[in-house]
């Protein structure tokens, strides 16, 4: 069964550093998403991406965040200057159509120290 | 998007049907009902979705009441691997401008041997 692949599975970074979280969506999917889950809290929407542009973003997704689909297969989330409160599990997802179910990856656990 | 109400937890005996209820009394005509689950800290997993009609797939059945104010997810023969948090999410059709899924606290289903 096709999977969404996320790397790395765990990343530790110092406060103020830039991080890039990587995702390989399912190959024929057209819609891409990032969500995050702070430990013990709800899964929260960050951003959706379609046709090489952001289609929707949440209040969490401020100027410190950016997304890119650099080469037609990878989908990345960059956090420019990490804060302690950015520590969370970050999930990438993709879907073939916007109303279809999403396939989520297994996540990257980001720890900011 | 309409708000959903789910019981915080439920138990189900292994091999029996698990019936997970969801109340969405403020749902509007163009809002879909989605069900996802999250096993431990893994990425959410899509289960099923529907608009008006009942739906069935290899994982589960979704029963939506005629007035659409509530729904029930049915896992016909629960196994220990079905122990997870189950999320009922109501979302407007994506073409109406919103792509995000709003996760609540869900129902923690424990399947008991």
């Amino acid at each position: 069964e096709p999977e969404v692949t996320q790397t790395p599975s765990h990343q530790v970074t110092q406060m103020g550093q830039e991080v890039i979280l990587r995702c390989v969506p399912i190959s024929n999917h057209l819609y891409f998403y990032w969500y995050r889950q702070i430990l013990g809290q709800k899964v929260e929407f960050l951003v959706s991406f379609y046709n090489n542009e952001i289609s929707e973003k949440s209040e969490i997704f401020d100027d410190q965040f950016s997304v890119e689909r650099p080469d037609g297969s990878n989908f990345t989330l960059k956090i420019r200057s990490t804060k302690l409160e950015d520590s969370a599990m970050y999930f990438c997802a993709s879907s073939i159509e916007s109303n279809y179910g999403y396939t989520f990856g297994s996540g990257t656990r980001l720890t900011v120290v | 998007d309409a708000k959903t109400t789910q019981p915080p937890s439920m138990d189900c005996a292994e091999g029996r049907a698990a019936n997970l209820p969801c109340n969405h009394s403020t749902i509007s005509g163009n809002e879909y009902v989605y069900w996802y689950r999250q096993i431990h800290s893994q990425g959410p997993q899509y289960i099923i979705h529907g608009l008006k009609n009942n739906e069935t797939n290899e994982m589960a059945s979704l029963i939506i009441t005629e007035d659409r104010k509530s729904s029930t997810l049915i896992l016909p023969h629960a196994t220990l691997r079905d122990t997870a948090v189950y999320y009922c999410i109501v979302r407007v059709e994506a073409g109406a401008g919103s792509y995000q899924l709003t996760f609540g606290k869900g129902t923690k289903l424990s399947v008991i041997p």
Side-chain angles (χ1 to χ4, degrees):
Chain A
E1 189 168 326
E3 289 184 344
V4 172
T5 305
Q6 290 188 245
T7 54
S9 56
H10 191 183
Q11 177 145 5
V12 180
T13 188
Q14 290 208 322
M15 193 167 53
Q17 294 295 304
E18 174 183 287
V19 294
I20 297 176
L21 309 183
R22 302 182 191 279
C23 170
V24 179
I26 293 173
S27 61
N28 63 340
H29 284 190
L30 301 176
Y31 295 80
F32 313 109
Y33 316 88
W34 283 100
Y35 284 74
R36 79 173 187 189
Q37 187 173 30
I38 295 170
L39 188 64
Q41 298 189 24
K42 299 177 189 176
V43 177
E44 301 174 290
F45 169 77
L46 294 178
V47 67
S48 61
F49 191 86
Y50 169 70
N51 202 24
N52 283 319
E53 61 182 23
I54 290 173
S55 45
E56 188 179 11
K57 60 183 180 179
S58 71
E59 291 177 356
I60 302 169
F61 195 89
D62 61 20
D63 291 345
Q64 293 299 311
F65 291 86
S66 62
V67 289
E68 197 176 40
R69 187 156 162 78
D71 56 13
S73 63
N74 291 285
F75 180 51
T76 61
L77 174 70
K78 183 194 292 187
I79 308 175
R80 256 179 275 284
S81 177
T82 50
K83 304 190 274 283
L84 294 176
E85 53 265 39
D86 293 328
S87 294
M89 196 75 162
Y90 287 80
F91 296 110
C92 173
S94 68
S95 63
I96 192 164
E97 292 277 355
S98 53
N99 287 320
Y100 281 35
Y102 300 171
T103 302
F104 281 81
S106 53
T108 292
R109 180 170 298 285
L110 176 66
T111 303
V112 182
V113 297
Chain B
D1 294 331
K3 183 176 162 52
T4 61
T5 304
Q6 297 179 253
S9 64
M10 289 181 64
D11 291 340
C12 177
E14 189 178 15
R16 304 298 293 266
N19 296 284
L20 293 98
C22 179
N23 185 289
H24 32 79
S25 57
T26 60
I27 194 169
S28 54
N30 64 346
E31 288 183 310
Y32 286 79
V33 179
Y34 291 83
W35 283 84
Y36 283 78
R37 71 181 182 183
Q38 189 173 27
I39 297 172
H40 196 45
S41 295
Q42 296 177 24
Q45 179 187 21
Y46 166 76
I47 301 172
I48 200 166
H49 76 284
L51 184 62
K52 295 181 191 175
N53 301 321
N54 298 336
E55 303 286 345
T56 295
N57 63 21
E58 64 279 2
M59 286 184 71
S61 295
L62 173 61
I63 308 298
I64 303 175
T65 57
E66 196 168 335
D67 64 6
R68 303 186 70 239
K69 291 182 187 298
S70 65
S71 61
T72 301
L73 178 76
I74 302 172
L75 308 177
H77 305 287
T79 71
L80 298 179
R81 285 193 299 260
D82 293 321
T83 293
V85 178
Y86 287 76
Y87 301 100
C88 170
I89 300 168
V90 169
R91 197 199 71 181
V92 67
E93 183 177 7
S98 176
Y99 298 86
Q100 64 175 284
L101 299 171
T102 301
F103 287 81
K105 294 184 179 178
T107 295
K108 181 165 173 51
L109 175 70
S110 298
V111 179
I112 300 165

